[in-house]
Structures are given as structure tokens and as C-alpha cells.
Amino acid sequence: MIYRFLDGLGRYFLFLGEVFHKPEHGREYLKSFFRELELLGFSSIALVSFISVFMGAVLTIQTAINLDDPFVPDSYIAIAVREGIVLEFAPTIVSLILAGKVGSNIASTLGTMRVTEQMDALRVMGINPASYLVLPKLFACLLFNPILIVFSMALGLVGGYYAGDFLNLVNTEVFLSGYFMEFNPFYIVYSLTKATVFAFIIATVSAYFGYNVEGGAVEVGKASTKSVVAMSFTIILFNYILTDLLLQ
Amino acid sequence: MIQVRGIHKSFGEQHVLRGIDVDFHEGQCNLIIGLSGSGKTVLLKSVLGLHSVDQGTISFDGRVLGDMGKKEVKVLRQEMGMVFQGSALFNSLTIAENVRLPLDFFGDMTEAEKDERVRFCLERVRIDPESFSKTPAELSGGMQKRVAIARAIVLNPKYLFCDEPNSGLDPETAIVIDQLIHEITHEFGMTTVINTHDMNSVLEIGDHVILMEKGVKAWEGTMEEVMDSDDSAVVEYVFRSNLFKKLRAALKKA
Ligand SMILES: Nc1ncnc2c1ncn2[C@@H]1O[C@H](COP(=O)(O)OP(=O)(O)OP(=O)(O)O)[C@@H](O)[C@H]1O
Ligand SMILES: [Mg+2]
């Protein structure tokens, strides 16, 4: 078990070595990058919006109910909601959801290309499939995931505000002023650092599982599932490590 | 000409190729036939350099694979085209983009010249222009094969490899594909290597036929020689079916 884990880890780093080859045909990589941006980035906007708005709403409701005390001003509720969204919900939860959507997409796309010999076709042409297929996906994720996370923060705050307003849980003016009180800008840095690291994990771990599929369609499905488990595990682990390093 | 000398290839315990010597001739369709599991695909992929061999040499017109520098390998790669068993078209790209990809990577052509070359190759394999912007999933298996052939020949390769080009096709389409490969081979003087199960292909286009058996070459000759041969390996492989048994008996009588 431990042996298998270390073996896999070693292979993962060898795989990264193959991925980080200097692209010789920059223009082709760039073309592919824009395709991936569309495929992996823009297509996630709707999902992330939906999740963020409702996440913010639920956070406000829960916090308002728990802090239902005349001596706690509604601005404090807003601060709690804001920190929850910025520090944890937007970067971590949204990344976990992207691992399920984007990551499994990468794993199954690459897995299918492997079992249908499309990877061999690239190699016959003299194109390094690891680098040509993975680098554009990786950069699309590195660029777009942080943008999605910022977007998620904004929508989460909006959702939180409207839930408070709509359900009459808070005094909206006081609540809104709370969003702007005692804000530590470093939290944004912390959050975006997490988002970037998670994006790297999502793109490379899923690619690793997809790239190394052997067999047929059934194995592609299995690899996709395994990759989601591995990504979730790694994200949660790095969430802890980064929080320990950055916030202490 | 491609010269294969004494190649061995094992996967773990399994010794798949056990010492193969064979020449693939220029301007001919070189057919590799043999039972399922005899090592045809492994031989083809070894020649292509997709599998590294354990022993032996493969040389392309005197250039030995494995002794070459990176630059030379790259040049060689551009002289090779391959048609995979399942076509292996890139499903995120359109038909035209599939054929164009090798040009984008390696051709030093202008955009207009590339368009022209893509159109020429696709028309050569009789794909009509309406299909150029479709995705591979929108084409039938036979059309996908033809697009795969177009992609394989777009860089004007010296060496063309086909892994069971007509598997999964109806007999009529299979003949069309065979003849297409045959025509192209003779038209452009390519060294073409084809894996096949199909005895019909052997009789249609078998300029040079190699019979594989359990990882060794059991026999080689031309398509005419296949029909006359009394070699036990050939008799066993080719004349298993009643049709061919009867055909042979009739030929011998005549
Ligand atoms: N990548 C691989 N790893 C391990 N074993 C392999 C691999 N590729 C092929 N083999 C084994 O090598 C043997 C020969 O396989 P190969 O695919 O060359 O047969 P084939 O003659 O092409 O058969 P078919 O006509 O069915 O395509 C098989 O027993 C197969 O299990
Ligand atoms: Mg085969």
C-alpha cells in the first residue's frame, strides 16, 4: 500500500518532467491553450455562479441564526460570512467542485485519447503528447481557476447579502457596512495562493491518471473516478499545509 | 527500404517477437499476415519506434533507428505516416484540422498552401468538401479510415504504416480502402507496411506478403506465390477456410 503510493508519486513526478518540456511549436500550443480556456474555464462559470450564490446565502442564514443576540451587531454577521467565503468556501469548496468537473473531464479526455491510440498518433508525428496535451490544460487552469475563485467570492457575498435581505434576518445597511470592516487584504493573497496551487493539482493529477490509462473504456471511467479521489485528497491536504504556512 | 534485423521484444515474461529479419520494399505494399496475437501490431509499432526493442536493428534506407540524434529522428518522423486500427483521429478537431495538424507542426508552408494541401489530400481519398468541417464522430467508420489515410500522407511520407486498415468495414469499403492504399503507394513510391487479417487484401494488393507465427516470420513471398505455396505454415493459415481450400483445388486442377 505504502509502496504503491510512493511508486505512484515517483511516476507522477516523472510525468511532470515529461510535461514540462520546452514547447517547440509555441503557436500550436497557444491555439490549443485558447481551446482549453473555453473548454475548461468559460464552461464552468454557470456552475460556479450557482454554487457561490447559494453558498453565500446559506452562510448568512446559518450565521444570523447562530448569532441571534441583540448585543451582536449585524455587521459582525457580515464579517463572519465574508471571512468564511473568502478564506475557505470560495477557494476550497469551489476547487473541490472544479476537481469533479474539470479534473474528471481532463482525466477522461486524456484516457480516451490513450486507449484510442490518439497519443500514439501524436508520437508517430514526432509530437510529445504529454507536453502538447497537458501544458495548455495546465495553463488554462492556472489562469482561469483563480479568476473563477474571485468571481465566486463576489457572488458569494452578493448571495449572502440578498439572503439576509430577503429573509429579513439582518438590517441590510448595517450588514453591508460589515462587509467592508476590518478587512485584511492578505486574506486575498492567501486565498489566491490556494486557488493557484489547487489549480495545479487539479490539472496535473487528473492528467496523470488519464495519461496512464491502459485498457479500454471501462478503465477510462475508473481512472476518472480515481483521479477525483486523488485530487480531493491532495487538495484537502494542501489546504491544511498552506493554511499552516500562510496564516500562522 | 526498411530493413529489420534480428529484433526481439518482450513484455515482462512474455516473449512476443522472437528474432525477426525482414525487408520492406520501396514502392510496394508489404503485408504482414498472421493469427491474432502473433505479434503483428507489436512488430509494426517496434518498427515505428513506439516500442523500444530489446535486441536487433531497424534501418530506414540505411539510417539506423537508435543510432540517430534527436534532429535526425525528427526528420525521420516527418517521413513516416501511420493509419491506426481505430483511425485515431483527434475528436476535438474537425476533419480538415486533423489533416492539417502535421502541417501546422512541421510544414513550412503558408496558410494558403496548407489549405490547398489539406484539400488535395482529402480529395485524393475521396472525402467531399462538405465533410471538411465535420468532427470525426459525425463520419462513418469507412470515412474515418479515409481521413486517417489523408492525415498520414499529408507530409508526403516515404514510409506508410497501416494497422488493419480495413477491420470493421464491409467487404466493399474494405476493397476501396485497400485499393486506395495500393494506388497511393505506387503513385508516390512509398514503402508501405500493412497489418491485416483479410485474405482478400492479400490477393488484391499483396506485393510482398510476410506470414507471422508466434513472434517469428514463418514465410514470405508474393501474392501469386501464396496461392501456389506448399509451405505448411501458409497452407495452415491461408487454407483453413473451405472457400480457399476449394479455390486452391480448382487452381491446381486448371
Ligand atoms: N503493451 C503491451 N503490453 C503487454 N503485452 C502486450 C502489449 N502489446 C501487445 N502485447 C502482447 O503481445 C502479443 C501480440 O500482440 P499483437 O497486438 O502484436 O497481436 P496481433 O498479431 O496484432 O493481433 P491482432 O491481429 O489481434 O491485432 C499479445 O499476446 C499481447 O498480449
Ligand atoms: Mg493487431
Side-chain angles (χ1 to χ4, degrees), chain A residues 87-149:
Chain A
L87 290 176
E88 203 53 30
F89 280 85
T92 311
I93 303 293
V94 169
S95 288
L96 283 172
I97 284 163
L98 289 176
K101 180 173 185 287
V102 173
S104 72
N105 175 300
I106 293 178
S108 56
T109 307
L110 292 185
T112 305
M113 293 190 76
R114 161 71 71 198
V115 303
T116 56
E117 299 184 304
Q118 291 174 49
M119 300 247 184
D120 282 337
L122 285 172
R123 280 174 61 201
V124 170
M125 293 176 196
I127 301 168
N128 172 356
S131 134
Y132 174 60
L133 296 176
V134 180
L135 270 188
K137 290 185 198 298
L138 174 61
F139 281 102
C141 286
L142 284 179
L143 177 79
F144 214 77
N145 283 21
I147 294 175
L148 279 174
I149 304 292

Side-chain angles (χ1 to χ4, degrees), chain A residues 177-198:
Chain A
S177 72
Y179 272 169
F180 301 96
M181 277 163 61
E182 298 171 36
F183 184 63
N184 181 352
F186 180 73
Y187 284 0
I188 298 277
V189 176
Y190 159 79
S191 217
L192 289 185
T193 308
K194 290 211 297 192
T196 311
V197 172
F198 296 163

Side-chain angles (χ1 to χ4, degrees), chain A residues 32 36 106 121 162 218 245:
Chain A
S32 172
E36 299 298 346
I106 293 178
Y162 278 108
V218 178
L245 286 177

Side-chain angles (χ1 to χ4, degrees), chain A:
Chain A
M1 169 77 186
I2 294 217
Y3 169 77
R4 260 189 43 208
F5 173 74
L6 289 177
D7 185 53
L9 202 65
R11 281 163 195 272
Y12 169 73
F13 282 110
L14 286 178
F15 170 69
L16 286 188
E18 236 176 289
V19 170
F20 284 101
H21 255 97
K22 183 172 66 77
E24 286 171 57
H25 306 272
R27 231 166 49 95
E28 291 317 304
Y29 279 66
L30 207 64
K31 255 200 240 166
S32 172
F33 168 75
F34 285 114
R35 261 200 306 269
E36 299 298 346
L37 213 53
E38 167 93 39
L39 219 64
L40 303 178
F42 290 110
S43 71
S44 302
I45 290 178
L47 177 71
V48 168
S49 312
F50 178 80
I51 289 164
S52 306
V53 169
F54 282 90
M55 212 162 57
V58 168
L59 263 181
T60 299
I61 298 170
Q62 288 178 350
T63 316
I65 289 172
N66 283 316
L67 292 183
D68 191 12
D69 184 319
F71 295 105
V72 179
D74 285 350
S75 51
Y76 278 48
I77 298 174
I79 293 176
V81 169
R82 185 192 68 203
E83 310 293 48
I85 289 173
V86 170
L87 290 176
E88 203 53 30
F89 280 85
T92 311
I93 303 293
V94 169
S95 288
L96 283 172
I97 284 163
L98 289 176
K101 180 173 185 287
V102 173
S104 72
N105 175 300
I106 293 178
S108 56
T109 307
L110 292 185
T112 305
M113 293 190 76
R114 161 71 71 198
V115 303
T116 56
E117 299 184 304
Q118 291 174 49
M119 300 247 184
D120 282 337
L122 285 172
R123 280 174 61 201
V124 170
M125 293 176 196
I127 301 168
N128 172 356
S131 134
Y132 174 60
L133 296 176
V134 180
L135 270 188
K137 290 185 198 298
L138 174 61
F139 281 102
C141 286
L142 284 179
L143 177 79
F144 214 77
N145 283 21
I147 294 175
L148 279 174
I149 304 292
V150 171
F151 188 65
S152 159
M153 289 176 190
L155 284 181
L157 295 179
V158 170
Y161 173 81
Y162 278 108
D165 183 19
F166 185 67
L167 300 172
N168 255 328
L169 291 168
V170 293
N171 176 326
T172 50
E173 249 170 64
V174 180
F175 184 85
L176 195 60
S177 72
Y179 272 169
F180 301 96
M181 277 163 61
E182 298 171 36
F183 184 63
N184 181 352
F186 180 73
Y187 284 0
I188 298 277
V189 176
Y190 159 79
S191 217
L192 289 185
T193 308
K194 290 211 297 192
T196 311
V197 172
F198 296 163
F200 185 87
I201 292 170
I202 290 171
T204 57
V205 172
S206 62
Y208 167 77
F209 277 93
Y211 190 80
N212 290 302
V213 172
E214 263 174 47
V218 178
E219 282 76 14
V220 174
K222 278 189 198 158
S224 172
T225 308
K226 271 199 262 175
S227 80
V228 173
V229 174
M231 281 182 277
S232 310
F233 179 82
T234 320
I235 286 174
I236 297 294
L237 190 70
F238 273 84
N239 189 32
Y240 172 75
I241 294 173
L242 288 173
T243 305
D244 199 31
L245 286 177
L246 294 173
L247 286 192
Q248 289 246 327

Side-chain angles (χ1 to χ4, degrees), chain B residues 5-9 15 17-21 55 215-217:
Chain B
R5 289 292 173 268
I7 59 169
H8 286 260
K9 174 71 187 172
H15 200 161
L17 300 182
R18 309 156 173 262
I20 295 184
D21 296 296
Q55 229 187 81
V216 295
K217 180 179 78 184

Side-chain angles (χ1 to χ4, degrees), chain B residues 211-249:
Chain B
L211 175 63
M212 292 270 296
E213 208 179 73
K214 299 195 183 89
V216 295
K217 180 179 78 184
W219 183 85
E220 69 178 306
T222 63
M223 59 177 143
E224 290 84 12
E225 288 165 355
V226 170
M227 293 311 281
D228 295 336
S229 173
D230 288 318
D231 190 285
S232 63
V234 177
V235 173
E236 211 172 286
Y237 179 77
V238 177
F239 300 102
R240 271 165 314 160
S241 86
N242 281 329
L243 175 65
F244 278 97
K245 268 184 203 151
K246 284 184 181 149
L247 209 71
R248 184 174 158 96

